[in-house]
Amino acid sequence: MLERIRIVLIGTSHPGNVGGTARAMHNMGLEDLALVAPRCEPLTADTISRASGADHIVHGARTAETLEQAVADCTLVVGASARSRTLPWPMITPRELGDRLAEELAGPETRIALVFGREDSGLSNAELQRCHAHVHIPANPDFSSLNLATAVQVLAYECRLAWLAQQEAPAPDTEPAQPLASHEELEHYFAHLERTLIAIGFHDPAQPRQLMARLRRLTLRSRPERMELNILRGILSATEKQASGGTPVDRGEPDPPA
Amino acid sequence: MLERIRIVLIGTSHPGNVGGTARAMHNMGLEDLALVAPRCEPLTADTISRASGADHIVHGARTAETLEQAVADCTLVVGASARSRTLPWPMITPRELGDRLAEELAGPETRIALVFGREDSGLSNAELQRCHAHVHIPANPDFSSLNLATAVQVLAYECRLAWLAQQEAPAPDTEPAQPLASHEELEHYFAHLERTLIAIGFHDPAQPRQLMARLRRLTLRSRPERMELNILRGILSATEKQASGGTPVDRGEPDPPA
């Protein structure tokens, strides 16, 4: 379970925080680190010092230009956030995150990303809207900004507790789950949806009125399976053909392969 | 409750850890710090940097020569320990510590000390034996030594959760919920959806292939709000006009009535 949890750091400024994150991860049994557009050289003497023996995690870290690239294969993306901003978004506590991890990772081909923003400004609204849920570490309202590596420690600790609890519990007797859509598949769907809404005259990017954000929130809440997303994309393709004056098209294939 | 919890650091070597501890404490609402026989100057530029605005806690810290002096007024003393050593000792998890704090601090004139040892060697056996109980943060057995300030963070986090639970669950900090769509509204939506899918040639009621059932399941899972359903119906209307050869229509109104 722990090997399918990825820690993603966006725009980190201080190498010491990369090292501290690696130490916190290795302490809790997490090994998969991704660095998105770091604003510092990630591997310095400070990194090694704070990693205190866990620098193999920094050496093995993947780097990416964008959040999308770093989480393309993840089925659940959770962003660490002080609070939801312009648009309320599903918000969970670190403890609820632990419960949710165990459920999520019981399914096949699932992978989870926990995303942490910049030391000075956190995650952008665009980044937050790419997350299925936000997790907020309860803190002193007058002094609520945790050190980055320390915030990673708290969530990694909850991951480890969830894993330990699962080691003791019998496997739940549930239906075999269908594979969920990955982040990349969802983003392709949202891009297709936006094109289609423009084509039918429902959406004007010059006056977005949070339409796409609202549709993202609704869709992400339902945790679509891959097959369901294929149906939705079939509907979009059929709609696009109508909008371009085409004739009714072949229906998509909603049934799974035998 | 939180004001009666003291963090005690014994023989700390690195000023940065004193600063990081102050930050973690202030983040979680703890303010009472004691330093026992520090092996460094506690207040340096490193301290201030890592404290990140919480250095008043270091300025206000009491210093003591011995553990006994630092915890003399405490009714419960809990030592952070990798494991009990020569003599088995009552051992609790951080979560159990949280439960115990609430019980303990319900009594009058109680005060709790959480004691942390040296970066390199932890607490001595003599120190451990002055504690009522030991608390062990579950960690990777191959890499179990947490950074000092990070270990303080984990226990302070459990203190804060216990305190929050004790606040008798005041009104949760959630957004006022939007009205959910009613059953009737959902059924109107599904009927509209089916008409539209037929109009664009995606759905053939003579060969339903469970298409509508799959779309129902997906939609119901997301518990749509009324306003979200209005957006979806606006999209369907725009799609229908396209299918009937119409021109792009006015966009619907995704915002709720004022």
Side-chain angles (χ1 to χ4, degrees), chain B residues 119-222:
Chain B
E119 286 97 336
D120 49 357
S121 60
L123 295 169
S124 70
N125 283 334
E127 288 157 354
L128 285 166
Q129 291 174 12
R130 275 164 181 70
C131 297
H132 293 87
H134 302 160
V135 59
H136 171 60
I137 298 174
N140 180 353
D142 298 329
F143 190 71
S144 62
S145 174
L146 274 67
N147 167 262
L148 175 57
T150 305
V152 171
Q153 173 69 64
V154 171
L155 298 195
Y157 162 73
E158 290 287 0
C159 292
R160 186 167 188 84
L161 290 194
W163 175 70
L164 288 170
Q166 207 194 35
Q167 300 305 90
E168 205 76 58
D173 179 26
T174 54
E175 305 286 331
Q178 293 289 322
L180 295 179
S182 71
H183 176 82
E184 183 174 35
E185 289 161 342
L186 282 163
E187 289 304 316
H188 287 163
Y189 166 72
F190 289 129
H192 194 175
L193 175 63
E194 184 161 16
R195 284 199 307 277
T196 307
L197 294 180
I198 293 169
I200 66 173
F202 188 80
H203 174 48
D204 176 1
Q207 290 183 38
R209 296 184 308 177
Q210 294 205 301
L211 175 65
M212 292 309 300
R214 291 181 194 280
L215 291 170
R216 273 178 179 275
R217 184 180 60 170
L218 173 66
T219 304
L220 293 174
R221 212 161 63 215
S222 68

Side-chain angles (χ1 to χ4, degrees), chain A residues 179-202:
Chain A
L180 295 178
S182 71
H183 177 85
E184 183 171 38
E185 289 161 342
L186 283 163
E187 290 302 319
H188 287 164
Y189 166 71
F190 289 129
H192 194 173
L193 175 62
E194 184 161 17
R195 284 198 308 275
T196 306
L197 294 179
I198 293 169
I200 66 173
F202 189 79

Side-chain angles (χ1 to χ4, degrees), chain A residues 27 95 140 202 227 251, chain B residues 27 95 140 202 214 251:
Chain A
N27 279 149
R95 187 137 307 165
N140 179 354
F202 189 79
M227 188 182 67
R251 291 182 293 151
Chain B
N27 280 147
R95 188 138 306 167
N140 180 353
F202 188 80
R214 291 181 194 280
R251 291 180 293 149

Side-chain angles (χ1 to χ4, degrees), chain A residues 186-234:
Chain A
L186 283 163
E187 290 302 319
H188 287 164
Y189 166 71
F190 289 129
H192 194 173
L193 175 62
E194 184 161 17
R195 284 198 308 275
T196 306
L197 294 179
I198 293 169
I200 66 173
F202 189 79
H203 175 47
D204 177 1
Q207 290 182 39
R209 295 185 307 176
Q210 293 204 303
L211 174 66
M212 292 309 301
R214 291 181 195 279
L215 291 170
R216 273 179 179 276
R217 184 179 61 170
L218 173 66
T219 304
L220 291 173
R221 210 162 66 214
S222 69
R223 312 297 319 282
E225 296 167 3
R226 181 172 301 152
M227 188 182 67
E228 291 172 331
L229 214 59
N230 289 342
I231 297 175
L232 297 178
R233 293 202 62 177

